Amino acid sequence: MRLSRSLSITSLSGLPLWEEESLPVQDLLLFEVSWEVTNKVGGIYTVIQTKAKITVDEWGENYIMMGPYYEHNFKTQVEKCEPPNQAIKAAMDSLNNNGCQVHFGRWLIEGSPYVILFDIGAAAWNLDRWKGDLWNACSIGLPYHDREANDSLIFGSLVAWFFKELTDQLQDKPNVIAHFHEWQAGTGLVLSRSRKIPLATVFTTHATLLGRYLCAGNADFYNNLDKFNIDQEAGERQIYHRYCLERAAVHCAHVFTTVSQITAVEANHMLHRQPDVVTPNGLNVRKFSAMHEFQNLHSMNKAKIQEFVRGHFYGHLDFNLEKTLFFFIAGRYEFSNKGADLFLESLSRLNYLLRVHKSDVTVVVFFIMPAKTNNFNVESLKGQAVRKQLWDTAQSVKEKFGKRLYESLLRGEIPDMSKILDRDDFTIMKRAIYATQRHTFPPVTTHNMLDDSTDPILSNIRRIGLFNGRNDRVKIVFHPEFLSSTSPLLPMDYEEFVRGCHLGVFPSYYEPWGYTPGECTVMGIPSVTTNLSGFGCFMEEHVSDPSEYGIYIVDRRFRSADESCNQLTQFLFSFCQQSRRQRIIQRNRTERLSDLLDWRYLGRFYMHARHLALSRSFPGKFKMDHLNLAPTQGFRYPRPASVPPSPSASLHSTPHHSDEEDDDTYDEEEEAEKDRQNIKAPFTLVACFPRCTLSSVIRPLYFSWLF
């Protein structure tokens, strides 16, 4: 039975409409301030870049981003132009005339938003004076040796100066909203509020500063949230001044937001303020007009990965590539935070299970995590060269064979196979076969590592003994470099690689949101996440049975490490038991969830935060009933219609299944239509975050000098 196209492919038909009254954007200016505007450092860059289009669609020329100026980034990403607003131009001129350098242009991304970029180096001569201003404002001192903190102070001082000049020009109309991301931009918020600049301010933390440091030090973070001596922990890590800047920004903002519920819990303990709104991270979801085009892309890119595997495992290619699954983990090289430790241990157990059950499935696992290297591994390069040589040999023999067969048929003769291939052809083929012989295991890493003996991934591979042996059903390839389509080893960019894999595995311990499983979902690739990641919590809330939609959520919050490892191993083993048809059905369901992550839906939470900020900063002009907030509905995907009602009935009793199994019980179009009709709306913006009570919505600001 043909798998037809999902009804949810072309629209967000199952999502409830946004009911909140829209803001008069023509009478407002919205500024979004971040260190990562045109400056890629981490995941915040992705948030800002992907959200730009829907924000520009809503605000038009009244939306401007602000960030630091870097000459290379400006020349390659920004089209210089004049500000369309005379008040903005006058404010920029005032800064430029006082020895600073401010640049304006359009950021060449989707939506083409306006950007204002401040040259940090050109204003560094003011650093000592601005340190004094910061101390006088909030008694926070910055050490001279912390370059990042000093740069953030220069940036924040320029932003506050700009807002002062701008609001003096505008007087009372239009009103200004300033949205600040992370502590590097938070200094501008603190200084703006201390100077009583008339702004509506929003501050978003994507991960608390101290939380990331504590988790990187292998602390039992979530079980001890209420036990940490925050000031002492920050002081011991020599980041107390940064922590103070972050906390001051949190308490100065009219509205404080985080990107997930798990981060909201963390922020409540680390920063001592409950978030007013949770603003999940989204993506720009592009749907294909052709039926199941993403399935075709999976097949095409899987073939490219198979070619790499043929070369990397030459001489040991005794497994069937058609029954080989590709798993991967990708991200920053934070061994424990990203869950690489748990993943490696579960792979050891998975290897044991596959061997005990005599499974004919082989799993090739890729670790895509950038680390310090000095070059490609010679064995890896040799493998691709051997593969190419074999291909050329096969093509040469095939050409001769085809020509002789053609001539024989033209003469009306049945070809004599012993004559079509002569002795020289057999000699060439034998030499090619001998060239593929290898007396060592295929390498577990594609590069020469600088810290081979102490590298966490390689050390754990040695501990669990997965060296790509012939009897191992789990093979490992550690690629310590970002993927690139120009690589001589694996010439694919990240999106192509993800589409070609079968499963993304991200068992993170500390992941405020987690874009990697979200990107997998949008591409229709199943993934493993945890209930300690923002993405995992979001999916648990929005999907009745995430695993049936290809979202496997490992419990790392309420289980021991060993129990979590066993759960992850069972997820991986169950996935290996699926037939090809079952994986196709699951990918259809996974892709159907992409609407959940679309900024067209998630952007509403940012709209709510702005409206709330305006009602608090300009209560005479913008009203919001704090005690009777209108419910802004979300939605919840039901259990897929074709899945048995009992969870136990959906478990496989044997590791082998027919591709024709359940052939008459699944219809993609019918199931998608039932899901769309059965989507439920169980929560509201306030009610869905139990820690964000109404008292926090109307809380007074903490610093008395702000009034």
Side-chain angles (χ1 to χ4, degrees), residues 590-659:
T590 302
E591 195 272 345
R592 205 184 305 156
L593 292 183
S594 59
D595 288 340
L596 273 170
L597 304 174
D598 198 316
W599 274 123
R600 290 177 293 168
Y601 169 64
L602 297 180
R604 63 179 66 184
F605 297 102
Y606 279 86
M607 297 177 193
H608 179 79
R610 295 172 199 136
H611 201 157
L612 188 58
L614 284 169
S615 70
R616 292 178 177 179
S617 55
F618 306 110
K621 298 176 67 175
F622 300 93
K623 302 290 186 182
M624 178 175 280
D625 189 348
H626 298 299
L627 299 179
N628 296 291
L629 285 174
T632 302
Q633 293 183 335
F635 61 97
R636 186 174 179 86
Y637 269 78
R639 188 180 181 84
S642 64
V643 175
S646 170
S648 61
S650 65
L651 296 178
H652 308 306
S653 57
T654 67
H656 302 290
H657 300 275
S658 166
D659 283 353

Side-chain angles (χ1 to χ4, degrees), residues 3 6 292 294-295 298 325 327 501-504 520-528 545-553 570-594 640 642-643 650 652 666 668 671 675:
L3 295 180
S6 169
H292 292 292
F294 74 96
Q295 296 279 12
H298 167 72
L325 303 179
F327 297 174
C501 288
H502 296 92
L503 182 70
C520 286
T521 303
V522 168
M523 298 181 206
I525 302 301
S527 61
V528 177
D545 192 350
S547 61
E548 291 298 338
Y549 283 93
I551 309 294
Y552 300 93
I553 301 175
Q570 188 56 49
F571 283 155
L572 301 180
F573 184 60
S574 298
F575 189 86
C576 292
Q577 291 178 284
Q578 291 182 1
S579 67
R580 181 174 180 272
R581 174 169 175 75
Q582 288 169 330
R583 292 196 301 270
I584 290 174
I585 291 172
Q586 190 175 62
R587 282 197 294 272
N588 285 333
R589 291 174 180 160
T590 302
E591 195 272 345
R592 205 184 305 156
L593 292 183
S594 59
S642 64
V643 175
S650 65
H652 308 306
Y666 174 77
E668 163 68 9
E671 182 177 280
D675 284 359

